[in-house]
Amino acid sequence: MLFSKLYAPTIKEKPADSETISYELLTRGGFIRKVAAGIYTYLPLGWRVIKKITKIVEEEMDKIGAQEFMMPIIQQAEIWKESGRWEDYGPEMMKLSDRHGREFTLGPTHEEMITFIVRNELRSYKQLPLILYQINQKYRDEIRPRFGLMRAREFIMKDAYSFHSDEKSLEETYQDFYRAYSKICERLELNYISVEADTGAIGGTDSHEFIILASTGESDIYVCDSCGYSASEERAQSKIPENIPEEIEPLEEVPTPNVKTIEDVSEFLKVSKEKIVKSLLYVGRNGYVMALIRGDYELNESKLKSLLKDQTLRLATPEEVQRDFGVPIGFIGPVGIDGVKVQKVADLSIKNLNNFVVGGMKEDYHYINTNLNRDFTVELWGDIRTVKEGEGCPKCGNQLRHTKGIEVGHIFKLGTKYSEKLNGYFVDEEGKNKPYLMGCYGWGISRTLAAIVEQLHDDNGIIWPISVAPYTVEIVIVNTSDEEQRTFGFKLYEILKSRNCEVLLDDRETSAGFKFKDSDLIGFPIRITVGKKLKDGKIEIKKRYEEKGVEVSIKKGLEEVVDLIEKTIEEYSTKFIQNNLTIS
RNA sequence: CAGGGUGUAGUUCAGAUGGGAGAACGCCAGAAUCGGGAUCUGGUGGUCGAGGGUUCAAGUCCCUCCACCCUGACCA
């Protein structure tokens, strides 16, 4: 490809709506253009990268026996109503209707559709396991699209679905996906980790996320450097703190005028926060839920939701609390509340706590010396607290480290959740009808494009790994009106092309500096400069991530030069530079 | 959705008190020449977000709407 013909409009200035480094560099480099909030066009360079990412993903999918196919983007409302997610997913969906008023959605995901497709003809255990996948556009009406391609309303995703007759088969496929996703990250030459994750709105049992590390990422993760434990913030656990047992004191009600927050209570009653139990009132599908946690910890809403299997859970408003309990929110507590009206859920951090402080269920009062079982009971125990950096690893006890990244892949064991609801049954060896076990596996293709840039860039532009670079080699003819340079540049270009090297020739009639700036901004891995030194029989080969290139004599013949270029391509690796760049 | 901000040339922006729509970069033509967005000459380019109102006169003041960005809940 000749640069003079390539539609890659580059921009010198930072776009005014520049949100993140990937948005800025991909826009300036002529890879993408924003069309509306969260909606993008992929220009030729961007599309080349997308296709390369896609190819890697497809190859790894094919290797584990997944079959590629294609489902429609427009989906009828009926199947979503059947699964109950027309309401649950609700505002997140782009909805539309045809001229007859029949409702549709632009698919935000395809669990309903896949089950609809297979439920009539996937009827025998002999057909299982089955793995299908597709790559297409997904639509989510995000409340606030942000971070460029990282949270778009229209985005490209690979989604795979698997069907199994038993748990063992599901587990095997889950592991296959786990390995395939790791392989994809490795082929992309990225610094990544996989973490235990929350299943969220998709539901199911086990789940892992694949995170590309970048300080600008929006996923918070906790890792243990000594045993390798890693988990997302929604899921991460830490060693349960030990509470020293004390002699039990009698319950006492004390006046605490206008003392509402944990800080206030701690100060007013001169007790440490560890000796206070925070009561948070939530409203869920089955009414009120009171979450109890030690005063020095933060509640983790994702954990609470998955413990209660209720994604609709939300904090009760002060008005609701006042109306239904007659107490301002600062004074609610577990004592005197019965388990029918309010389900009490407690974090393990208060399990052995004695003589603690709770709200008095009466304005301006708290209880001191409260004790479990004697003064109130807990209906459900679980881990519902947010982990903090420095706490002990749940497996080995070493300190947990906090880091950030971008979630590009997410795998789930769904179990029978969708097959049961959507009538996806098969007949087993004994002739019995059973719902199949399912797994679903997502990979954000367009998000990967952005994530790579977030991880691999410097002040001058993008640093593509060879595996996904729009072109592997760029030849820059410094002075296009110099006949010798021109001739040599074109000759080398033709040879490289004939060797199946993806090469771009910058033949534009602009200044040298202009071409070099574009070259760094776009981020071709290897740049060959054909300039004034050609007179002395020399050209330069430079790796994008190195300061200086190497001068190469062309006197021994072009074959040798081309061999050297190919060797440079082989040696090129973004791996070792990553820690010096943006990862913190 | 709530709170805040911004909309003027292709891009980044300037336009105080109401009265001429501007700069730089880009783009086009030409010159010179070419190792880090370099230089010179000439040119091109506008529904001042949209609609309404006040006024002799509105980019500027008022109202309505829209879009985009920032802070929060959601997610591959």
Side-chain angles (χ1 to χ4, degrees), chain A residues 126 137 143 157 287 348 389 441 466 493 527:
Chain A
K126 291 176 193 163
Q137 310 262 39
I143 304 166
M157 179 172 160
L348 297 167
E389 182 163 51
Y441 318 87
I466 296 267
Y493 168 66
R527 186 176 77 207

Side-chain angles (χ1 to χ4, degrees), chain A residues 71-87 93 102-105 107 109-117 119 418 421-423:
Chain A
M71 288 187 277
I73 285 164
I74 299 184
Q75 307 181 9
Q76 68 276 35
E78 287 84 347
I79 52 174
W80 285 82
K81 287 178 178 166
E82 216 180 309
S83 74
R85 290 209 295 181
W86 187 256
E87 299 305 323
M93 298 204 288
R102 187 179 178 193
E103 291 175 295
F104 293 90
T105 180
T109 174
H110 281 73
E111 283 86 10
E112 280 76 2
M113 183 55 77
I114 184 78
T115 316
F116 175 74
I117 301 290
R119 67 183 175 193
Y418 291 89
K421 271 193 191 148
L422 293 157
N423 210 19

Side-chain angles (χ1 to χ4, degrees), chain A residues 440-555:
Chain A
C440 80
Y441 318 87
W443 185 282
I445 302 279
S446 46
R447 181 180 277 184
T448 303
L449 172 67
I452 294 168
V453 178
E454 290 291 331
Q455 184 173 107
L456 291 169
H457 66 271
D458 64 13
D459 292 344
N460 294 320
I462 304 168
I463 305 173
W464 292 109
I466 296 267
S467 58
V468 293
Y471 290 92
T472 313
V473 174
E474 184 197 32
I475 303 170
V476 175
I477 299 174
V478 175
N479 184 351
T480 42
S481 44
D482 179 315
E483 208 41 55
E484 198 191 348
Q485 289 182 25
R486 229 185 135 75
T487 310
F488 184 87
F490 270 88
K491 201 162 151 195
L492 186 59
Y493 168 66
E494 290 300 335
I495 294 173
L496 285 170
K497 266 207 309 189
S498 72
R499 296 254 203 134
N500 287 326
C501 175
E502 294 188 28
V503 56
L504 183 74
L505 177 67
D506 196 343
D507 58 334
R508 295 175 300 171
E509 291 171 26
T510 51
S511 72
F514 195 92
K515 287 182 258 202
F516 290 142
K517 286 286 182 188
D518 265 356
S519 173
D520 287 347
L521 176 62
I522 296 171
F524 306 104
I526 312 249
R527 186 176 77 207
I528 296 163
T529 308
V530 179
K532 61 187 175 192
K533 286 172 192 152
L534 187 67
K535 283 198 211 64
D536 313 323
K538 282 176 185 165
I539 59 169
E540 183 194 279
I541 300 177
K542 182 181 168 299
K543 292 179 185 161
R544 171 64 180 81
Y545 54 78
E546 281 177 355
E547 273 297 300
K548 290 216 156 129
V550 259
E551 280 187 6
V552 174
S553 167
I554 60 165
K555 285 177 182 155

Side-chain angles (χ1 to χ4, degrees), chain A residues 164-221:
Chain A
H164 311 269
S165 53
D166 59 41
E167 194 65 49
K168 183 169 163 277
S169 165
L170 173 59
E171 174 63 22
E172 276 168 17
T173 298
Y174 189 82
Q175 291 306 329
D176 281 347
F177 270 95
Y178 189 95
R179 282 188 292 269
Y181 275 29
S182 305
K183 191 75 201 297
I184 292 167
C185 292
E186 278 153 30
R187 289 182 65 183
L188 294 170
E189 291 187 67
L190 294 170
N191 233 333
Y192 77 100
I193 60 168
S194 59
V195 299
E196 285 179 19
D198 183 57
T199 51
I202 307 269
T205 50
D206 282 331
S207 171
H208 282 86
E209 284 173 7
F210 285 76
I211 310 268
I212 291 178
L213 297 174
S215 54
T216 48
E218 39 167 352
S219 295
D220 287 287
I221 46 200

Side-chain angles (χ1 to χ4, degrees), chain A residues 30-46:
Chain A
F31 291 82
I32 60 167
R33 285 291 179 269
K34 186 191 298 197
V35 172
I39 299 174
Y40 294 85
T41 289
Y42 302 95
L43 298 176
L45 283 178

Side-chain angles (χ1 to χ4, degrees), chain A residues 58-76:
Chain A
E58 284 171 344
E59 284 171 3
E60 294 307 320
M61 289 297 98
D62 294 347
K63 276 188 207 163
I64 60 169
Q67 301 172 51
E68 188 164 14
F69 78 135
M70 181 77 156
M71 288 187 277
I73 285 164
I74 299 184
Q75 307 181 9
Q76 68 276 35

